[in-house]
Amino acid sequence: MKCIHEFNICLYIKEINSIINSKITEKLKLRGLTQSQVTAIKFIGHFDKLTLSELSKKMSIKKSTCSGIVDRLEKANIFERVKDKDDKRVTYIKFSEKGKILSDEIKGDINNSFKEIFNGICQEDLEIIESRLEKIINLIKEN
């Protein structure tokens, strides 16, 4: 019977992830961005600048697909391509000024979504859930 609990836990985690992603995606669609564009924006926001190859690997998509996403974001003046100072063969993708502002706004949207999603759960319960999930992750990594 124990396997039923593990299976249900996995289903719950998957369902929670799906619901959260859906709610955040809906909020970000109001900005006229696709999920892939938001993902690219989040990675550039986190790493400051990446090559196209690095970004495509982090997004787990083909380089050609990533190039199309970057092209559209560059056309919208969110991204810009800049040559490396030391090696002109290397081109980085980074934010334009407009992109920096948009990235901050998206972070705010995501944080507000999290607050709305977890609004009915008290701080103590959130800390317990976080602790238990962290324990599960560590146990899975060890095995």
Side-chain angles (χ1 to χ4, degrees), residues 108-124:
D109 288 346
I110 291 170
N111 288 337
N112 288 336
S113 292
F114 286 145
K115 287 177 186 173
E116 291 170 14
I117 290 165
F118 294 106
N119 186 31
I121 304 173
C122 71
Q123 188 65 34
E124 183 181 348

Side-chain angles (χ1 to χ4, degrees), residues 16-137:
I16 290 167
N17 185 55
S18 177
I19 292 168
I20 290 171
N21 282 336
S22 178
K23 288 182 179 281
I24 290 173
T25 299
E26 284 304 310
K27 186 168 272 196
L28 294 175
K29 276 185 184 176
L30 299 174
R31 293 190 173 276
L33 298 168
T34 67
Q35 183 63 40
S36 297
Q37 289 172 328
V38 171
T39 301
I41 289 168
K42 288 194 290 190
F43 276 119
I44 297 299
H46 183 74
F47 292 99
D48 190 41
K49 64 180 180 179
L50 293 169
T51 65
L52 188 63
S53 295
E54 292 168 338
L55 181 59
S56 66
K57 284 180 186 171
K58 292 190 182 309
M59 292 179 68
S60 300
I61 59 176
K62 293 179 184 175
K63 194 174 171 183
S64 59
T65 304
C66 189
S67 181
I69 294 166
V70 170
D71 287 346
R72 286 184 286 283
L73 290 169
E74 185 178 28
K75 189 175 182 179
N77 195 29
I78 295 168
F79 282 172
E80 58 187 26
R81 288 180 165 101
V82 293
K83 295 281 186 191
D84 186 278
K85 295 175 197 164
D86 300 323
D87 187 348
K88 298 297 178 194
R89 297 171 297 175
V90 177
T91 301
Y92 288 105
I93 301 155
K94 61 178 243 167
F95 284 129
S96 65
E97 286 305 313
K98 178 182 174 183
K100 289 177 188 174
I101 294 167
L102 179 63
S103 176
D104 289 341
E105 291 172 354
I106 288 172
K107 286 178 191 172
D109 288 346
I110 291 170
N111 288 337
N112 288 336
S113 292
F114 286 145
K115 287 177 186 173
E116 291 170 14
I117 290 165
F118 294 106
N119 186 31
I121 304 173
C122 71
Q123 188 65 34
E124 183 181 348
D125 287 345
L126 286 172
E127 290 171 7
I128 291 168
I129 293 166
E130 181 182 19
S131 171
R132 298 303 190 269
L133 289 171
E134 186 177 13
K135 183 177 181 177
I136 290 169
I137 289 168

Side-chain angles (χ1 to χ4, degrees), residues 6-23:
E6 286 89 343
F7 182 74
N8 284 338
I9 289 168
C10 290
L11 288 178
Y12 291 143
I13 291 171
K14 183 180 183 300
E15 181 71 11
I16 290 167
N17 185 55
S18 177
I19 292 168
I20 290 171
N21 282 336
S22 178
K23 288 182 179 281

